[in-house]
Amino acid sequence: MRHHIALAASLLAAALVGALGALAWSGPRSDTWPFAATVDDLIGWSSTQSTATVVGQVLVVVTVALAVGLRMPTRIAPWVCAALLVVVLAFTKVAIPEAASLAVFTALHILKSFVAGVLVGLVLHATRRSAAGWVALATGVLGGTLLASVGTTAASAAFVATRLDSTSVFGEPAWWLIGSAFAACIVAAVLHRPAADPDDDPTARELVRLTVYAVIVAVVCRVGVEIVGTGEYALWKAIVVLIVALVVVDRVAARWESADARTVLVAILVTAAAVAMWNVGARTLLDSRLLTVVGVGGLVLGAVLAWRLPVGRIASWLTALALTALPMGAALVSVDEVSAASLGVVAALIPIALTAVTADPHATVRPLAAALPGLAILVAAAAPVPAQTLDPEWLNQLSIGSDQPTGDAYTGSLSVIGDLDTVMAEYTSTDLTSAYLLLGVAALCTLRIVWLSRRTDAPEPDAEPPAPHA
C-alpha cells in the first residue's frame, strides 16, 4: 500500500510540476500594457520574452545533465528543491500585478522561464528511472501547453487579451495549482522510492552531446521566431522557417534509434496540436470552466488508457493521425461543441502517444523530448491567431472615443477592444491559414513517424512494448 501511495504521489507531483512549467512558458501575444510603453520598449519585450522562454527549455536539459553528472540523489533532494522553486513561481504571481514598468515585467518573465526550466529538469531527474513518471511529467507539460488558453474567454471571433496583470496572455497559474504542486512535491520527497534501473547512467560524453543538441534546436527556433516575427508577417517566411526547424529537429532526433526518435517527433506533433487548439479556443464562446473539465478529463482518460492497454505500433500511427486531423478539423468548423470535443480527444491522446512511441528509451532522449514544447513559441509565431478581416472605416467610427488599441489584421496580433467585441463578432471573418500551416507541420511529423517505424531497428509489427515500469 505504501509503495502505491508513494508512486501516486510522485506521478501527481510530476504532472502538476509539468503543468506549472508549461504555464510559465506560455509567452504573451499582446502589445497592450497597464502602463505606458514605447514601440521600442514593446519590440525589446517581445524579443526578450522569446529568448527567455527558449533558454528556459534548454535549462531542462542542462539541469538533468548536471544532476546526472554530479550524481545527485533522486529520492529527496530534487523534490525539496522543486518545492522551493514552486514558491519562487508563487512569488512572481504575487509580484506581477504590482509591476510598475515594462522592465519589471521583463525581469519577472525571465525569472519565471528560468525557474520553470530548472523545476521541470529536477523532477525529470527524480523520475528518470520510471517510465510512468516520465509520461506523467511530459503529459503535464504538454497538457498544460494544450490547456493554457482555456482560462482566456473569447468574446468574439478575435482572440481577446484581458490578462493585463500577467506576463502571459493566458494569465498566471491558479493558486490551487501552485499549492497542489508544492504539497505533492513535499509528499514525494517523503515517500518517493526510485525504481531500480538496469541500465547505467549516461556517460559524460552523451550528456554533453545531449546539451549540444538542445542548444542547436533552441538557437534555430529562436532565430526562426526573429525572422517570422520581425516586420510584416509573410506566409512564405513562416513556411520556410518551419521546414528548416523541423529538418533540424529531425536530424537531431535521428541521432537515436527509431523508437527514441519517434519520442522526439511525437513531442513536436502534440505541440502543434496544442497551438492549433490555442487558435481554436480563441473563437469559442463556451464557458472556460467547461473547457477545463473537458481538457483535464481527457488527460485523465488518456492516462488510464495508456496505463491499462497494451499500445502497439499501429496504435501509435492511428494516434498520430488523430492528432494531425482533429485540431485542423476544429479550426475549419466554427461550432463550439466541436472545439470542446476536439480539446478532449487531443488531451486523451497525449499520454497514449507518449506511452506508445517508446517504453524504454535511451536515458538522454527524455530530457530533449520534455523540453521540445518550447518549439510552440516558434509554431505560434509562424501560425498566428487567425487574422480577422475588418472594415477599417467602420471600425474607426465604432471606436471613436475609445482609447483602447486594436490588433493588426494582417499578423493576427491580439487586440483589446472592450465592449465592442460582441458587435465585432458579426463583422469578422476568420483566416484559416494557420490551420493549414499546423496541418502541414503535423502531417510531416506523422509521415516521419511512420517511416521511422519501418526502419530495421524498429520493433517487429506484432511485438508489444514492455509495460511502463514504476
Side-chain angles (χ1 to χ4, degrees):
M1 177 62 72
R2 180 184 175 85
H3 170 74
H4 293 298
I5 295 176
L7 176 61
S10 62
L11 295 182
L12 179 61
L16 293 174
V17 163
L20 273 179
L23 288 174
W25 291 327
S26 297
R29 298 196 203 172
S30 176
D31 56 2
T32 303
W33 310 102
F35 41 75
T38 66
V39 174
D40 290 339
D41 290 335
L42 297 178
I43 293 175
W45 156 255
S46 178
S47 176
T48 301
Q49 68 90 10
S50 299
T51 301
T53 302
V54 170
V55 173
Q57 263 96 39
V58 174
L59 285 177
V60 174
V61 173
V62 172
T63 301
V64 173
L66 288 176
V68 174
L70 298 175
R71 298 188 180 278
M72 181 182 187
T74 58
R75 181 188 169 188
I76 297 177
W79 294 110
V80 172
C81 292
L84 294 177
L85 292 177
V86 172
V87 173
V88 176
L89 288 180
F91 162 76
T92 63
K93 177 180 172 66
V94 173
I96 283 172
E98 305 299 324
S101 67
L102 190 57
V104 178
F105 253 43
T106 302
L108 290 173
H109 178 75
I110 292 173
L111 178 61
K112 271 175 42 178
S113 298
F114 289 10
V115 167
V118 178
L119 176 63
V120 173
L122 284 170
V123 174
L124 184 57
H125 172 68
T127 58
R128 66 190 177 89
R129 300 183 187 277
S130 167
W134 176 77
V135 170
L137 178 65
T139 299
V141 173
L142 294 167
T145 303
L146 179 70
L147 298 175
S149 64
V150 163
T152 301
T153 304
S156 73
F159 197 119
V160 180
T162 58
R163 302 297 186 125
L164 297 182
D165 60 345
S166 173
T167 65
S168 168
V169 73
F170 301 129
E172 297 302 303
W175 281 114
W176 68 262
L177 178 58
I178 293 176
S180 299
F182 177 82
C185 287
I186 295 299
V187 174
V190 175
L191 300 178
H192 181 63
R193 298 292 187 277
D197 188 354
D199 298 326
D200 295 330
D201 288 335
T203 64
R205 182 185 180 88
E206 290 173 330
L207 293 174
V208 170
R209 185 176 61 178
L210 167 66
T211 304
V212 170
Y213 289 160
V215 171
I216 290 173
V217 173
V219 169
V220 170
C221 290
R222 180 61 189 89
V223 172
V225 171
E226 193 69 22
I227 293 174
V228 175
T230 301
E232 184 175 346
Y233 177 81
L235 179 61
W236 71 267
K237 288 197 298 184
I239 294 175
V240 170
V241 166
L242 282 175
I243 290 177
V244 170
L246 290 175
V247 169
V248 170
V249 177
D250 178 76
R251 290 297 82 205
V252 167
R255 302 304 95 188
W256 285 276
E257 294 184 352
S258 63
D260 298 342
R262 291 201 302 268
T263 302
V264 176
L265 293 175
V266 163
I268 299 176
L269 187 66
V270 178
T271 297
V275 175
M277 293 309 300
W278 284 358
N279 292 345
V280 171
R283 293 166 26 206
T284 182
L285 299 176
L286 290 177
D287 192 311
S288 60
R289 291 170 296 184
L290 173 61
L291 292 175
T292 302
V293 171
V294 171
V296 174
L299 289 172
V300 173
L301 175 62
V304 171
L305 292 176
W307 183 260
R308 300 296 300 177
L309 298 178
V311 182
R313 197 170 72 182
I314 299 300
S316 300
W317 296 355
L318 295 177
T319 298
L321 290 172
L323 285 171
T324 301
L326 280 171
M328 182 191 174
L332 295 177
V333 180
S334 298
V335 179
D336 286 344
E337 289 73 18
V338 173
S339 302
S342 299
L343 177 66
V345 173
V346 172
L349 290 176
I350 287 175
I352 295 176
L354 292 172
T355 307
V357 290
T358 176
D360 190 21
H362 189 274
T364 59
V365 75
R366 288 173 174 169
L368 183 64
L372 270 179
L375 185 69
I377 194 170
L378 170 60
V379 180
V385 173
Q388 308 302 315
T389 302
L390 303 175
D391 182 346
E393 294 183 3
W394 169 82
L395 183 59
N396 289 334
Q397 293 177 0
L398 195 60
S399 59
I400 291 176
S402 172
D403 58 356
Q404 292 177 308
T406 61
D408 185 338
Y410 296 97
T411 63
S413 299
L414 305 182
S415 60
V416 181
I417 316 179
D419 295 333
L420 303 179
D421 293 322
T422 303
V423 180
M424 284 178 59
E426 301 177 4
Y427 294 88
T428 58
S429 61
T430 301
D431 182 359
L432 298 176
T433 301
S434 64
Y436 289 108
L437 270 179
L438 292 167
L439 174 68
V441 172
L444 288 174
C445 290
T446 301
L447 293 174
R448 186 61 173 146
I449 290 170
V450 172
W451 176 258
L452 286 171
S453 298
R454 298 172 60 87
R455 273 176 37 174
T456 55
D457 59 351
E460 294 298 325
D462 296 330
E464 294 182 359
H469 53 276

